[in-house]
Amino acid sequence: MSFKMVTRYAHSPKDIQHYDTKELRDEFLMDKIFSLGDILLTYTYNDRMIFGGVTPKAGEPLEIKLDKDLGVDYFLQRRELGFINIGGSGSVTIDGQKDNIVKHDGYYIGMGAKHVVFESDSSDDPAKFYVVSTPAHKTYPNKKLPFKDAIAMPMGNQKDMNKRTIYKYIDASSMDTCQLQMGYTVLEPGNGWNTMPCHTHARRMETYMYCEFGSKDTRVFHFMGKPDESKHIVLEPEQAVVNPSWSIHCGVGTTSYSFIWAMCGENQTYDDMDMVDMHDLR
Ligand SMILES: O=C(O)C(=O)C[C@H](O)C(=O)CO
Ligand SMILES: [Zn+2]
Protein backbone atom coordinates (compact mmCIF):
# COMPACT_ATOMS: atom_id res chain seq x y z
CA MET A 1 0.00 0.00 0.00
CA SER A 2 1.24 3.47 -0.68
CA PHE A 3 0.03 6.68 0.87
CA LYS A 4 0.74 9.93 -0.91
CA MET A 5 -0.46 13.46 -0.22
CA VAL A 6 0.69 16.33 -2.41
CA THR A 7 0.27 20.04 -1.69
CA ARG A 8 -1.22 22.54 -4.10
CA TYR A 9 -0.78 26.21 -3.29
CA ALA A 10 -3.39 28.96 -3.58
CA HIS A 11 -3.09 31.42 -6.47
CA SER A 12 -4.12 34.92 -7.35
CA PRO A 13 -5.83 35.36 -10.75
CA LYS A 14 -2.70 37.22 -11.88
CA ASP A 15 -0.54 34.13 -11.28
CA ILE A 16 -2.21 32.11 -13.98
CA GLN A 17 -2.28 34.83 -16.63
CA HIS A 18 0.95 33.59 -18.19
CA TYR A 19 0.76 29.88 -17.35
CA ASP A 20 1.32 27.56 -20.26
CA THR A 21 -0.58 24.27 -20.52
CA LYS A 22 1.94 22.35 -18.40
CA GLU A 23 2.05 24.92 -15.60
CA LEU A 24 -1.73 25.11 -15.47
CA ARG A 25 -1.98 21.32 -15.26
CA ASP A 26 0.80 21.07 -12.67
CA GLU A 27 -0.96 23.58 -10.42
CA PHE A 28 -4.63 22.69 -10.78
CA LEU A 29 -5.00 19.11 -12.10
CA MET A 30 -4.82 15.91 -10.02
CA ASP A 31 -4.02 13.36 -12.68
CA LYS A 32 -4.39 10.19 -10.60
CA ILE A 33 -7.07 9.68 -7.98
CA PHE A 34 -7.60 5.89 -7.81
CA SER A 35 -4.79 3.35 -7.66
CA LEU A 36 -5.50 -0.18 -6.35
CA GLY A 37 -4.24 -0.60 -2.80
CA ASP A 38 -3.35 3.08 -2.43
CA ILE A 39 -4.47 6.34 -0.85
CA LEU A 40 -3.76 9.34 -3.08
CA LEU A 41 -4.63 12.73 -1.61
CA THR A 42 -4.15 16.41 -2.38
CA TYR A 43 -4.01 19.16 0.23
CA THR A 44 -4.99 22.44 -1.38
CA TYR A 45 -4.36 25.71 0.42
CA ASN A 46 -7.71 26.87 -1.02
CA ASP A 47 -9.75 26.64 2.19
CA ARG A 48 -7.49 23.71 3.25
CA MET A 49 -9.59 21.12 1.53
CA ILE A 50 -8.07 17.62 1.37
CA PHE A 51 -9.42 15.40 -1.40
CA GLY A 52 -8.54 12.26 -3.32
CA GLY A 53 -9.04 8.53 -3.66
CA VAL A 54 -8.97 5.54 -1.33
CA THR A 55 -8.95 2.26 -3.30
CA PRO A 56 -8.55 -0.79 -1.03
CA LYS A 57 -7.65 -4.27 -2.27
CA ALA A 58 -9.98 -7.00 -0.95
CA GLY A 59 -8.78 -8.13 2.48
CA GLU A 60 -6.42 -5.14 2.85
CA PRO A 61 -8.31 -2.34 4.63
CA LEU A 62 -7.06 1.23 4.26
CA GLU A 63 -7.12 4.01 6.83
CA ILE A 64 -6.10 7.64 6.27
CA LYS A 65 -3.50 8.38 8.90
CA LEU A 66 -2.53 12.03 9.07
CA ASP A 67 -1.29 13.65 12.23
CA LYS A 68 2.13 15.33 11.96
CA ASP A 69 1.30 16.75 8.50
CA LEU A 70 -1.76 18.45 10.01
CA GLY A 71 -0.28 19.15 13.43
CA VAL A 72 -3.02 17.16 15.19
CA ASP A 73 -3.32 13.88 17.09
CA TYR A 74 -5.39 12.16 14.39
CA PHE A 75 -6.81 12.99 10.94
CA LEU A 76 -10.34 14.05 11.89
CA GLN A 77 -9.50 15.73 15.19
CA ARG A 78 -10.33 19.13 13.63
CA ARG A 79 -11.93 18.05 10.35
CA GLU A 80 -15.05 16.50 8.86
CA LEU A 81 -15.06 14.04 5.95
CA GLY A 82 -17.40 13.20 3.12
CA PHE A 83 -17.09 10.42 0.55
CA ILE A 84 -18.90 8.95 -2.42
CA ASN A 85 -18.04 5.49 -3.73
CA ILE A 86 -17.87 5.29 -7.54
CA GLY A 87 -16.51 1.71 -7.63
CA GLY A 88 -17.67 -1.74 -6.53
CA SER A 89 -19.14 -2.57 -3.16
CA GLY A 90 -17.21 -2.27 0.06
CA SER A 91 -17.59 -0.96 3.57
CA VAL A 92 -16.55 1.74 5.98
CA THR A 93 -15.92 1.14 9.68
CA ILE A 94 -16.07 4.26 11.81
CA ASP A 95 -14.70 3.72 15.33
CA GLY A 96 -15.77 0.08 15.19
CA GLN A 97 -19.19 0.67 13.57
CA LYS A 98 -19.32 -1.02 10.13
CA ASP A 99 -21.60 -0.01 7.24
CA ASN A 100 -21.80 -1.60 3.80
CA ILE A 101 -21.27 0.82 0.95
CA VAL A 102 -22.50 0.01 -2.55
CA LYS A 103 -21.73 2.00 -5.70
CA HIS A 104 -22.85 5.64 -5.44
CA ASP A 105 -23.46 5.50 -1.69
CA GLY A 106 -21.98 8.41 0.21
CA TYR A 107 -21.19 9.21 3.81
CA TYR A 108 -20.73 12.19 6.12
CA ILE A 109 -18.34 11.64 9.03
CA GLY A 110 -18.27 14.27 11.74
CA MET A 111 -15.25 15.82 13.44
CA GLY A 112 -13.69 13.60 16.10
CA ALA A 113 -13.98 10.16 14.49
CA LYS A 114 -10.70 8.48 15.41
CA HIS A 115 -10.58 5.51 13.04
CA VAL A 116 -12.17 5.41 9.61
CA VAL A 117 -11.35 2.17 7.82
CA PHE A 118 -12.20 1.57 4.17
CA GLU A 119 -12.60 -1.91 2.63
CA SER A 120 -13.41 -3.41 -0.78
CA ASP A 121 -15.40 -6.60 -1.22
CA SER A 122 -13.44 -7.63 -4.34
CA SER A 123 -10.12 -6.60 -5.90
CA ASP A 124 -11.58 -7.27 -9.37
CA ASP A 125 -14.16 -4.56 -8.83
CA PRO A 126 -12.72 -2.53 -5.96
CA ALA A 127 -14.60 0.19 -4.17
CA LYS A 128 -13.35 3.64 -5.21
CA PHE A 129 -13.94 6.01 -2.33
CA TYR A 130 -13.64 9.64 -3.45
CA VAL A 131 -13.00 11.44 -0.17
CA VAL A 132 -13.14 15.14 0.70
CA SER A 133 -12.24 16.63 4.06
CA THR A 134 -12.58 20.21 5.26
CA PRO A 135 -11.75 21.97 8.54
CA ALA A 136 -14.54 21.71 11.13
CA HIS A 137 -15.42 23.40 14.43
CA LYS A 138 -18.16 21.15 15.77
CA THR A 139 -19.04 17.46 15.81
CA TYR A 140 -22.13 16.62 13.81
CA PRO A 141 -23.57 13.07 13.57
CA ASN A 142 -22.15 10.59 11.09
CA LYS A 143 -24.66 9.89 8.35
CA LYS A 144 -24.84 7.30 5.61
CA LEU A 145 -25.99 8.94 2.38
CA PRO A 146 -27.47 6.36 0.00
CA PHE A 147 -27.80 7.52 -3.61
CA LYS A 148 -31.60 7.10 -3.47
CA ASP A 149 -31.82 9.69 -0.67
CA ALA A 150 -29.73 12.36 -2.41
CA ILE A 151 -31.62 15.54 -3.30
CA ALA A 152 -32.10 15.26 -7.07
CA MET A 153 -32.24 18.53 -9.04
CA PRO A 154 -32.91 18.10 -12.78
CA MET A 155 -31.12 20.85 -14.75
CA GLY A 156 -30.67 21.99 -18.33
CA ASN A 157 -32.20 20.60 -21.50
CA GLN A 158 -31.26 18.60 -24.59
CA LYS A 159 -31.45 21.65 -26.90
CA ASP A 160 -28.70 23.37 -24.91
CA MET A 161 -26.71 20.10 -24.65
CA ASN A 162 -26.69 20.32 -20.84
CA LYS A 163 -29.47 18.01 -19.60
CA ARG A 164 -28.27 16.62 -16.31
CA THR A 165 -29.22 15.87 -12.71
CA ILE A 166 -27.41 17.36 -9.75
CA TYR A 167 -27.57 15.03 -6.73
CA LYS A 168 -26.86 16.84 -3.48
CA TYR A 169 -25.47 14.45 -0.86
CA ILE A 170 -24.06 16.77 1.81
CA ASP A 171 -26.20 19.87 1.89
CA ALA A 172 -27.05 22.11 4.84
CA SER A 173 -30.75 22.12 3.88
CA SER A 174 -31.11 18.45 4.83
CA MET A 175 -28.38 17.73 7.41
CA ASP A 176 -25.76 19.25 9.65
CA THR A 177 -22.30 19.96 8.24
CA CYS A 178 -19.71 22.53 9.30
CA GLN A 179 -18.35 23.63 5.93
CA LEU A 180 -18.46 20.73 3.51
CA GLN A 181 -20.99 20.55 0.68
CA MET A 182 -20.75 17.62 -1.68
CA GLY A 183 -22.66 16.07 -4.53
CA TYR A 184 -22.66 14.23 -7.81
CA THR A 185 -23.82 15.44 -11.21
CA VAL A 186 -24.82 13.03 -13.99
CA LEU A 187 -25.19 14.16 -17.61
CA GLU A 188 -27.80 12.51 -19.81
CA PRO A 189 -26.47 10.66 -22.87
CA GLY A 190 -25.98 13.06 -25.78
CA ASN A 191 -25.31 16.02 -23.49
CA GLY A 192 -21.93 17.60 -22.87
CA TRP A 193 -22.07 20.85 -20.91
CA ASN A 194 -22.03 21.16 -17.14
CA THR A 195 -22.49 24.39 -15.24
CA MET A 196 -23.22 26.46 -18.34
CA PRO A 197 -24.23 29.32 -18.07
CA CYS A 198 -21.35 29.37 -15.62
CA HIS A 199 -20.87 31.07 -12.29
CA THR A 200 -18.37 31.96 -9.64
CA HIS A 201 -18.89 32.03 -5.86
CA ALA A 202 -16.29 34.21 -4.19
CA ARG A 203 -17.52 32.75 -0.89
CA ARG A 204 -16.55 29.14 -1.67
CA MET A 205 -13.88 27.19 -3.48
CA GLU A 206 -14.79 24.00 -5.32
CA THR A 207 -13.19 20.81 -6.61
CA TYR A 208 -14.51 18.67 -9.46
CA MET A 209 -13.61 15.00 -10.00
CA TYR A 210 -14.74 13.85 -13.43
CA CYS A 211 -15.67 10.17 -13.94
CA GLU A 212 -17.93 7.65 -15.70
CA PHE A 213 -17.10 8.86 -19.20
CA GLY A 214 -19.23 7.56 -22.08
CA SER A 215 -16.21 5.97 -23.82
CA LYS A 216 -12.52 5.35 -23.19
CA ASP A 217 -11.62 8.15 -25.61
CA THR A 218 -13.95 10.69 -24.04
CA ARG A 219 -12.25 13.84 -22.83
CA VAL A 220 -13.70 16.66 -20.80
CA PHE A 221 -12.55 20.20 -21.50
CA HIS A 222 -12.78 21.93 -18.13
CA PHE A 223 -12.79 25.73 -18.08
CA MET A 224 -11.37 27.83 -15.27
CA GLY A 225 -10.07 31.34 -14.64
CA LYS A 226 -11.69 34.75 -14.32
CA PRO A 227 -14.71 34.92 -16.65
CA ASP A 228 -12.93 37.37 -18.94
CA GLU A 229 -9.72 35.29 -19.06
CA SER A 230 -10.82 31.67 -19.28
CA LYS A 231 -8.39 28.81 -19.74
CA HIS A 232 -9.02 25.13 -20.23
CA ILE A 233 -7.63 21.84 -18.93
CA VAL A 234 -8.30 18.57 -20.79
CA LEU A 235 -9.22 15.73 -18.43
CA GLU A 236 -9.18 11.96 -18.69
CA PRO A 237 -11.59 9.92 -16.53
CA GLU A 238 -11.05 10.01 -12.78
CA GLN A 239 -8.99 13.15 -12.68
CA ALA A 240 -9.80 16.21 -10.58
CA VAL A 241 -9.35 19.97 -10.74
CA VAL A 242 -9.18 22.66 -8.05
CA ASN A 243 -11.24 25.77 -8.67
CA PRO A 244 -10.33 28.81 -6.58
CA SER A 245 -13.29 30.87 -5.47
CA TRP A 246 -12.55 33.58 -8.07
CA SER A 247 -12.63 31.05 -10.91
CA ILE A 248 -15.40 29.83 -13.14
CA HIS A 249 -15.74 26.03 -13.20
CA CYS A 250 -17.58 24.37 -16.04
CA GLY A 251 -16.84 21.85 -18.71
CA VAL A 252 -17.86 20.13 -21.90
CA GLY A 253 -17.29 16.48 -22.74
CA THR A 254 -16.94 14.72 -26.05
CA THR A 255 -19.59 12.32 -24.66
CA SER A 256 -21.66 12.42 -21.49
CA TYR A 257 -19.97 11.87 -18.11
CA SER A 258 -20.47 12.45 -14.39
CA PHE A 259 -18.56 14.40 -11.78
CA ILE A 260 -18.36 14.77 -8.03
CA TRP A 261 -18.20 18.34 -6.79
CA ALA A 262 -17.29 19.50 -3.30
CA MET A 263 -17.25 22.98 -1.81
CA CYS A 264 -15.93 24.69 1.27
CA GLY A 265 -15.73 28.29 2.40
CA GLU A 266 -17.62 31.17 3.93
CA ASN A 267 -21.17 29.85 3.53
CA GLN A 268 -23.10 26.67 2.78
CA THR A 269 -25.66 28.25 0.50
CA TYR A 270 -25.67 26.18 -2.70
CA ASP A 271 -27.62 28.83 -4.63
CA ASP A 272 -25.28 31.65 -3.65
CA MET A 273 -23.73 31.94 -7.11
CA ASP A 274 -22.73 34.94 -9.18
CA MET A 275 -23.98 34.03 -12.63
CA VAL A 276 -21.68 35.12 -15.45
CA ASP A 277 -23.32 36.94 -18.34
CA MET A 278 -22.44 35.13 -21.60
CA HIS A 279 -21.26 38.49 -23.02
CA ASP A 280 -18.59 38.68 -20.33
CA LEU A 281 -16.89 35.37 -21.16
CA ARG A 282 -13.55 35.61 -22.94
O1 LIG B 1 -23.87 20.65 -13.31
C1 LIG B 1 -23.82 21.63 -12.56
O2 LIG B 1 -24.29 22.74 -12.87
C2 LIG B 1 -23.16 21.46 -11.25
O3 LIG B 1 -23.01 20.36 -10.77
C3 LIG B 1 -22.70 22.69 -10.58
C4 LIG B 1 -21.96 22.46 -9.30
O4 LIG B 1 -22.76 21.76 -8.42
C5 LIG B 1 -21.52 23.78 -8.73
O5 LIG B 1 -20.75 24.45 -9.36
C6 LIG B 1 -22.07 24.22 -7.44
O6 LIG B 1 -21.61 25.51 -7.13
ZN1 LIG C 1 -19.98 26.22 -8.36
Side-chain angles (χ1 to χ4, degrees), residues 195 199 201 204 206 208 249 263 273:
T195 328
H199 62 259
H201 25 70
R204 300 184 306 279
E206 187 158 359
Y208 274 21
H249 38 279
M263 295 188 278
M273 297 167 177

Side-chain angles (χ1 to χ4, degrees), residues 149-191:
D149 294 345
I151 304 169
M153 292 197 325
M155 297 283 286
N157 59 73
Q158 189 74 46
K159 175 174 67 61
D160 294 326
M161 301 180 300
N162 64 354
K163 194 164 192 261
R164 62 200 190 283
T165 305
I166 297 176
Y167 295 94
K168 293 185 190 172
Y169 281 65
I170 300 177
D171 185 79
S173 69
S174 59
M175 56 177 283
D176 287 323
T177 162
C178 292
Q179 290 206 82
L180 182 61
Q181 289 184 72
M182 190 167 178
Y184 167 62
T185 298
V186 182
L187 274 83
E188 298 274 331
N191 289 267

Side-chain angles (χ1 to χ4, degrees), residues 149-281:
D149 294 345
I151 304 169
M153 292 197 325
M155 297 283 286
N157 59 73
Q158 189 74 46
K159 175 174 67 61
D160 294 326
M161 301 180 300
N162 64 354
K163 194 164 192 261
R164 62 200 190 283
T165 305
I166 297 176
Y167 295 94
K168 293 185 190 172
Y169 281 65
I170 300 177
D171 185 79
S173 69
S174 59
M175 56 177 283
D176 287 323
T177 162
C178 292
Q179 290 206 82
L180 182 61
Q181 289 184 72
M182 190 167 178
Y184 167 62
T185 298
V186 182
L187 274 83
E188 298 274 331
N191 289 267
W193 280 102
N194 79 72
T195 328
M196 183 55 74
C198 62
H199 62 259
T200 57
H201 25 70
R203 280 72 58 186
R204 300 184 306 279
M205 58 77 74
E206 187 158 359
T207 47
Y208 274 21
M209 194 281 291
Y210 286 100
C211 53
E212 300 170 346
F213 287 11
S215 88
K216 74 171 178 34
D217 289 328
T218 299
R219 293 295 177 267
V220 170
F221 290 68
H222 177 86
F223 296 89
M224 61 165 295
K226 294 277 261 189
D228 60 354
E229 272 189 86
S230 69
K231 292 178 179 283
H232 75 267
I233 296 180
V234 179
L235 287 104
E236 297 183 11
E238 301 181 353
Q239 296 186 328
V241 281
V242 175
N243 300 283
S245 45
W246 45 264
S247 173
I248 59 165
H249 38 279
C250 59
V252 62
T254 56
T255 69
S256 60
Y257 55 90
S258 309
F259 64 100
I260 295 175
W261 46 269
M263 295 188 278
C264 165
E266 201 67 52
N267 70 16
Q268 302 173 306
T269 315
Y270 183 88
D271 296 329
D272 176 26
M273 297 167 177
D274 299 312
M275 297 308 293
V276 176
D277 189 302
M278 293 305 261
H279 290 106
D280 294 334
L281 280 175

Side-chain angles (χ1 to χ4, degrees), residues 25 29-33 237-240:
R25 294 175 75 84
L29 171 73
M30 281 71 244
D31 64 356
K32 187 116 190 115
I33 300 285
E238 301 181 353
Q239 296 186 328

